Amino acid sequence: YLLLRNYSYTSVDSCRKYLGILEGLSDTEDLKNRFVLCEARLLCVLRDKEGAVKKLESVISDAISKSFINDYYTDLDRCYTRLGEDYKEWYLNMVEEALAAAELDEALRLKLVARRSLLKGETDKALDYFTRCFNTSTDYHFKAMAAYNIALILRDMDREAYEYWLTEAAINDL
């Protein structure tokens, strides 16, 4: 699952191959949900919004295991972000659902609250939450994502701070 999740951005053909293997191994509801989310992410990469939405609608959220809750909402976040403005309400509903999950990782919680703030035009709040996410997270990808979003917020306000946060994003992404 983790290999496929990251591989979808590298090689679409190989990703399709591994999706076939993953589908064959998906013998529980939890694994089927993981497979469906991988399919949805690939469809988002391929810009097949209709296909991705159909896949996302087929996820059985009641079958999400507690050990998968953070990956589940991370995948939904990535899909809805790629789906764009047309799915803003779906995204906001997903954020509210995620924030109600007690098992949600603190860095992911901060990221989702920050994104919700951005969508509502609350730039100062978003900046605060992304900064807290950057400082809280021990995951380099989360740090890179938070730094990149901080940079985007600061782009037109403070050129030096913008460049600093872009550098932080690049360092953490590497």
Side-chain angles (χ1 to χ4, degrees):
Y1 166 76
L2 292 174
L3 171 70
L4 184 69
R5 189 170 151 202
N6 294 308
Y7 208 56
S8 62
Y9 297 100
T10 307
S11 172
V12 171
D13 291 334
S14 295
C15 189
R16 286 183 195 266
K17 174 186 172 188
Y18 290 116
L19 266 174
I21 294 169
L22 184 60
E23 183 177 24
L25 298 172
S26 301
D27 57 354
T28 66
E29 288 301 323
D30 183 49
L31 291 174
K32 287 176 186 172
N33 277 330
R34 292 172 193 238
F35 167 71
V36 169
L37 285 169
C38 285
E39 282 186 309
R41 287 196 48 198
L42 178 60
L43 291 169
C44 285
V45 169
L46 296 173
R47 294 186 174 91
D48 179 356
K49 288 184 179 185
E50 274 185 36
V53 169
K54 284 180 185 174
K55 290 294 176 189
L56 292 172
E57 289 174 335
S58 73
V59 172
I60 304 164
S61 58
D62 294 343
I64 301 299
S65 65
K66 290 182 180 186
S67 65
F68 184 58
I69 205 86
N70 287 295
D71 287 329
Y72 170 66
Y73 285 114
T74 297
D75 284 349
L76 289 179
D77 173 58
R78 288 179 178 170
C79 285
Y80 287 133
T81 300
R82 281 185 163 271
L83 290 172
E85 189 67 28
D86 294 342
Y87 295 90
K88 178 180 174 180
E89 287 304 313
W90 286 31
Y91 183 84
L92 290 171
N93 290 335
M94 180 276 297
V95 168
E96 295 308 317
E97 179 184 301
L99 295 176
E103 301 84 4
L104 202 64
D105 177 74
E106 185 61 19
L108 179 55
R109 185 178 304 282
L110 290 167
K111 172 188 176 183
L112 293 174
V113 172
R115 287 244 172 102
R116 178 182 65 187
S117 298
L118 268 182
L119 288 173
K120 291 182 174 184
E122 301 168 342
T123 310
D124 289 340
K125 277 187 180 179
L127 185 59
D128 178 54
Y129 283 114
F130 278 126
T131 303
R132 288 171 52 196
C133 179
F134 180 85
N135 292 331
T136 300
S137 183
T138 57
D139 179 271
Y140 288 114
H141 177 73
F142 261 78
K143 284 185 161 309
M145 173 281 313
Y148 182 72
N149 279 282
I150 292 168
L152 291 180
I153 292 170
L154 295 173
R155 178 177 37 206
D156 296 329
M157 293 185 252
D158 183 338
R159 186 68 183 180
E160 191 173 313
Y162 167 69
E163 290 173 359
Y164 170 82
W165 284 105
L166 277 181
T167 304
E168 279 287 352
I171 290 168
N172 281 284
D173 224 12
L174 290 173

